[in-house]
Amino acid sequence: MSEREELLAAFLERAGWGTATRSFLQGDASLRRYERLALNGANGVLMDWPAGPDSPSEGTHAAYSKLAHLAEDVRPFVAVGSYLKSLGLRAPDIIASDLEHGFLLLEDFGTADFGGMIDKGTGPAGEVLDDMYRAGLDVLVALQQAGTPGLLSVGDGSTHDVPSFDDGIYRIETAMPLDWYLPVVMGTQASDDLRAEYDAIWTALWPLIEAGPRTLFLRDFHSPNILWQSKGRGLERVGLIDYQDALIGSLAYDPVSFLQDARRDVPVEREEVMRGYYVQAMKNADARFDADEFEAAYAVLGAERALRLMGLWPRLLKRDNKPRYMVHMARTQDYLRRNLAHPALSDLARFVENHFLKDAPAAGQIAETPA
């Protein structure tokens, strides 16, 4: 038994779950791993998260988690979750914790993730899919009406200062298609002149996502991280997980993540209706809400997100030998085209068409090449 497994066993014993049946639930792209626990008819989810950056520093470059303001231990998860619950939102209860070693025993929200419901076209108790989309948007309206939080308490005397979506993150994410999509998909390298042209376009777009009020956004508000709670009422029907990387920034970030889901098709008709629902809900909640300002930020952040993912899928293919993610490429490009239709993105639209989409091979052809 490894030292960490011994620490984990001791944690579960202290929590009264030492004899629980344990089954691997999932790991993700970070150091986190999860298990589902069962004990005397009760269920829980174990989060096992050793503290530290997602990768070692390389030369003068810090680890990606530091550059992108990603959480590096369990404390941000605890702090943000507590804040969400204070707003009446459905974050999991923490049954037991060992913050020093990175163990949390969490309430189990079950298996009704939003992606599965999209596939089935209905919720586990027969809920209408559009009603569930509206419920998700209601959660965002409630979160955004709370404004930006100050220091968040972790509960052990420490605090978490939520980072902002800043120019550093922006540049890292917008560079992804130059670093990975161009060489892997298009078979070419980005010249210095091309990078300068691309960077200048994003510099000009930055004010559009800085405009308007700022809010806490969850950053990964999409189908894998939303678990439907059929027995809940109102906002409590939407179970939230994976919010430890939350940032302060534009109102548009979470709505576009939700309505342009990277892993599930959202037809343009549904996206438009649901975006209209969100806009009206925000107008009802705050007469100062500027719909045109929001629509511009939505398009810019939607394009930024789509292009980042267009770089991520080839990186997972070539660097990490995970070709299955290339199945999302066509969907991602469809979302990108929707966003580029906004008149504020005309320069980016020309660049993308000339350098990323024109004569691009099909995603399946790329996935078939050796990693």
Side-chain angles (χ1 to χ4, degrees):
M1 182 182 293
S2 68
E3 180 181 359
R4 184 154 188 85
E5 187 61 33
E6 290 178 355
L7 290 169
L8 175 53
F11 164 68
L12 293 175
E13 189 66 32
R14 291 193 304 272
W17 288 67
T19 59
T21 300
R22 296 165 53 184
S23 56
F24 179 72
L25 183 57
Q26 70 176 57
D28 59 25
S30 73
L31 298 176
R32 292 183 299 274
R33 61 185 298 274
Y34 299 87
E35 295 181 11
R36 175 162 278 124
L37 274 57
L39 179 67
N40 300 327
N43 293 321
V45 171
L46 171 70
M47 178 190 288
D48 175 1
W49 185 356
D54 63 345
S55 61
S57 301
E58 297 181 5
T60 60
H61 297 288
Y64 178 78
S65 56
K66 291 189 181 298
L67 296 171
H69 301 331
L70 302 178
E72 294 186 343
D73 62 38
V74 299
R75 286 177 170 81
F77 179 90
V78 173
V80 175
S82 177
Y83 175 71
L84 295 175
K85 290 169 72 69
S86 76
L87 301 179
L89 304 182
R90 194 75 168 89
D93 291 335
I94 298 177
I95 301 168
S97 64
D98 179 346
L99 302 184
E100 178 184 358
H101 296 109
F103 301 124
L104 296 178
L105 182 55
L106 305 171
E107 176 185 7
D108 187 355
F109 277 170
T111 60
D113 69 274
F114 206 81
M117 295 188 299
I118 293 173
D119 292 342
K120 295 176 182 177
T122 183
E127 298 92 343
V128 176
L129 192 57
D130 281 352
D131 288 343
M132 293 186 287
Y133 270 101
R134 284 188 281 266
L137 293 169
D138 288 342
V139 164
L140 296 184
V141 172
L143 175 62
Q144 294 173 353
Q145 287 304 300
T148 58
L151 291 175
L152 300 181
S153 172
V154 177
D156 64 346
S158 64
T159 57
H160 174 56
D161 189 5
V162 181
S164 292
F165 182 81
D166 57 21
D167 187 69
I169 300 175
Y170 187 61
R171 300 302 177 180
I172 290 170
E173 294 189 347
T174 55
M176 284 280 284
L178 297 183
D179 295 340
W180 290 96
Y181 181 87
L182 276 186
V184 175
V185 176
M186 304 301 289
T188 186
Q189 297 292 329
S191 67
D192 290 344
D193 287 346
L194 189 71
R195 286 183 181 273
E197 179 186 355
Y198 184 69
D199 194 57
I201 292 171
W202 285 111
T203 298
L205 292 172
W206 174 254
L208 296 179
I209 61 173
E210 281 288 273
R214 291 159 64 80
T215 185
L216 181 142
F217 62 82
L218 303 185
R219 201 174 191 176
D220 289 311
F221 189 79
H222 58 162
S223 58
N225 299 330
I226 303 170
L227 293 161
W228 188 254
Q229 307 298 291
S230 290
K231 296 180 180 179
R233 300 182 64 184
L235 299 177
E236 292 194 347
R237 294 173 298 170
V238 181
L240 304 172
I241 60 173
D242 201 19
Y243 41 71
Q244 63 282 335
D245 297 324
L247 295 172
I248 302 295
S250 173
L251 296 175
Y253 197 102
D254 280 345
V256 77
S257 298
F258 186 44
L259 297 180
Q260 295 185 3
D261 192 313
R263 290 169 176 78
R264 293 296 191 283
D265 290 334
V266 181
V268 65
E269 297 82 8
R270 172 170 281 138
E271 180 191 3
E272 290 175 351
V273 168
M274 291 302 151
R275 191 169 72 245
Y277 174 84
Y278 166 85
V279 167
Q280 189 58 55
M282 288 294 286
K283 286 181 176 179
N284 293 342
D286 186 349
R288 298 168 298 177
F289 177 77
D290 187 321
D292 291 339
E293 192 175 72
F294 166 79
E295 293 285 359
Y298 183 99
V300 175
L301 284 168
E304 190 264 4
R305 176 179 171 81
L307 283 163
R308 173 170 60 86
L309 293 172
M310 282 172 58
L312 177 61
W313 308 142
R315 188 180 77 180
L316 289 168
L317 166 68
K318 291 299 184 182
R319 191 192 72 179
D320 302 334
N321 196 28
K322 296 178 179 180
R324 65 185 181 277
Y325 289 96
M326 289 297 291
V327 72
H328 303 308
M329 182 64 81
R331 177 188 308 112
T332 305
Q333 292 175 338
D334 176 59
Y335 291 149
L336 175 60
R337 291 185 175 95
R338 297 183 197 180
N339 296 306
L340 294 178
H342 192 285
L345 277 68
S346 57
D347 288 343
L348 180 63
R350 284 190 290 271
F351 185 97
V352 166
E353 180 60 34
N354 289 334
H355 300 290
F356 295 150
L357 299 180
K358 186 179 180 181
D359 300 324
Q365 294 176 296
I366 299 299
E368 292 167 2
T369 63

